[in-house]
Amino acid sequence: MTCASARAYGMRSIATDRDVIVRDPSGKGPMAYPTIAREVRTTLMAETPVKHTVVFADGTALNFSPAWIKPVPDVPNMPLVYDNLAECLPCLATRSH
């Protein structure tokens, strides 16, 4: 679908910049466990999201359907030192920040 035909069908792409949780809703495969990533773009049809573009910590950018994406909930009392929740999570190997 080209940009002109996408516009004709009422689709638009908006830039976003938020942390999201990516998880395969079937619970199988490599994305069975929740992973925090950065959403950079959302494609909407009217006001309904149809595709989310997500960038992982290793720089890989992938597109996911809305069923795979959940916003990271607000965390009260999160230290202001961190720009996002992904930076605040402890390292699994060392159990420290």
Side-chain angles (χ1 to χ4, degrees):
M1 183 181 302
T2 64
C3 291
S5 63
R7 252 189 312 266
Y9 288 109
M11 295 181 77
R12 63 190 169 106
S13 181
I14 59 169
T16 57
D17 189 28
R18 65 178 183 158
D19 289 332
V20 293
I21 299 170
V22 181
R23 183 177 180 276
D24 184 350
S26 72
K28 300 175 184 175
M31 298 301 293
Y33 296 101
T35 304
I36 294 178
R38 187 61 127 175
E39 181 184 36
V40 294
R41 185 158 296 284
T42 300
T43 303
L44 303 169
M45 179 172 278
E47 296 299 320
T48 306
V50 292
K51 180 175 73 171
H52 298 271
T53 304
V54 174
V55 177
F56 292 94
D58 64 357
T60 305
L62 297 173
N63 294 318
F64 293 97
S65 72
W68 288 58
I69 303 295
K70 302 287 185 257
V72 172
D74 290 333
V75 179
N77 302 324
M78 187 169 93
L80 296 176
V81 177
Y82 305 111
D83 289 333
N84 58 46
L85 186 59
E87 294 177 6
C88 177
L89 295 174
C91 174
L92 294 177
T94 62
R95 299 285 183 203
S96 65
H97 290 283

